[in-house]
Amino acid sequence: QVQLVESGGGLVQTGGSLRLTCTASGSIFSINAMGWYRQAPGKERELVAMLNFRYGGYINYGDSVKGRFTISRENAKNTVYLQMNSLKPEDTAVYYCKADSLITTTAILGRDYWGQGTQVTVSS
């Protein structure tokens, strides 16, 4: 069984910073990529940042967070961080951790897994 556990959300003022953490645990054989999506009320879920574990650590950021958010990984572990700086009210959303193409020790094919989400609220 696989779990993605997020932490670090909360309330912050405009211009402030937060760091989110996501750890994947369980019977994991490999993960292709990990990262973050977010969903604001009434809007579709959108990419925040994804870090590829295989292809030289390639990172893909959503356009709205480039230059303000940084994704990183803890030393070859299944833990990723999202450092969010210069936060804006429009960054308010539930942030979901995602693991792409995760293969368990008992499976042949991988699939995507999602965390339960952590709320980030930026006050103006």
Side-chain angles (χ1 to χ4, degrees), residues 37-106:
Y37 280 70
R38 68 186 183 187
Q39 188 166 20
K43 295 188 177 181
E44 293 187 352
R45 193 170 294 190
E46 65 174 356
L47 169 71
V48 177
M50 290 295 293
L51 190 156
N52 195 296
F53 286 6
R54 295 185 178 183
Y55 300 108
Y58 175 79
I59 294 174
N60 189 21
Y61 287 106
D63 289 341
S64 61
V65 306
K66 287 179 181 177
R68 300 187 298 123
F69 291 10
T70 302
I71 188 171
S72 61
R73 181 186 181 188
E74 182 178 351
N75 291 338
K77 294 184 179 180
N78 296 328
T79 295
V80 291
Y81 304 99
L82 184 69
Q83 179 65 41
M84 305 185 293
N85 298 328
S86 302
L87 283 161
K88 306 174 182 180
E90 50 263 44
D91 294 317
T92 296
V94 177
Y95 284 68
Y96 295 93
C97 181
K98 183 185 181 189
D100 275 355
S101 299
L102 186 154
I103 301 176
T104 67
T105 56
T106 58

Side-chain angles (χ1 to χ4, degrees), residues 6-7 18-19 91 96 104 117:
E6 304 122 327
S7 62
L18 284 174
R19 190 174 84 153
D91 294 317
Y96 295 93
T104 67

Side-chain angles (χ1 to χ4, degrees), residues 2-23:
V2 171
Q3 280 191 317
L4 269 61
V5 178
E6 304 122 327
S7 62
L11 174 65
V12 65
Q13 291 186 333
T14 296
S17 298
L18 284 174
R19 190 174 84 153
L20 305 183
T21 301
C22 175
T23 298

